[in-house]
Amino acid sequence: MTYETTLPASVLFCLPFAPTPHGARLARVAAGGQLAAWGLPPGREAHDAAVLVVSELATNAARHGSRDGQSLELRLLLLPDPAVLRVEVSDARGGTAPAPVPAPPGPVPVRTADSAEDGAESGRGLLLVDALATRWGWAPGPGTGKTVWAELDLPVNA
């Protein structure tokens, strides 16, 4: 997969990763390191939220977007004015968009492993992305695949 942008290279980070749980973990660790290099250190709310979004999107892509072992791709774009971090994860499997997250009619109950109705240990990733990102969505491509993206507005003193 290739990606082109008109942004300066200093605000673009691109990493191919294996479509495995280990590959998703490496994408998360690499994203955390890149965010720190951009001046957004661990322990800050924006850093930790962004790393969690990367983790969820990378894990979803590894679990559901893999096709014939083709690598997945993580891109981080730091957009300056206003300060926005865009996280993109591309896979090779097209035609399967992430399910929309419906807005709840009232307060959302906190779900824990103990309170989950079906006892499932997964299936809440896009709910987390929806809660942490300012906006998110998906687009077709590259090639026959799709890109799921999330944008996080960064505070001036992130």
Side-chain angles (χ1 to χ4, degrees):
M1 291 179 205
T2 60
Y3 184 77
E4 295 178 9
T5 181
T6 58
L7 295 173
S10 64
V11 296
L12 172 66
F13 174 78
C14 185
L15 175 77
F17 65 97
T20 64
H22 182 69
R25 179 185 178 282
L26 292 177
R28 176 180 51 83
V29 170
Q34 184 60 50
L35 292 170
W38 283 341
L40 198 61
R44 295 270 177 93
E45 184 177 340
H47 174 279
D48 296 347
V51 168
L52 184 53
V53 166
V54 167
S55 179
E56 294 303 329
L57 295 183
T59 299
N60 278 355
R63 183 170 290 154
H64 305 292
S66 172
R67 188 166 102 186
D68 300 327
Q70 293 181 1
S71 67
L72 307 172
E73 190 169 83
L74 165 69
R75 286 180 299 280
L76 302 176
L77 295 91
L78 188 58
L79 307 171
D81 189 23
V84 171
L85 175 69
R86 183 176 173 102
V87 176
E88 298 180 351
V89 175
S90 296
D91 64 42
R93 177 171 281 168
T96 308
V101 178
V108 178
V110 174
R111 294 184 75 186
T112 65
D114 294 334
S115 67
E117 296 163 354
D118 59 4
E121 294 181 11
S122 64
R124 297 175 188 89
L126 291 178
L127 290 171
L128 290 171
V129 171
D130 190 59
L132 295 170
T134 308
R135 59 208 147 263
W136 70 276
W138 73 281
T144 61
K146 68 179 169 304
T147 297
V148 181
W149 57 267
E151 292 182 346
L152 294 90
D153 290 342
L154 299 175
V156 175
N157 295 320

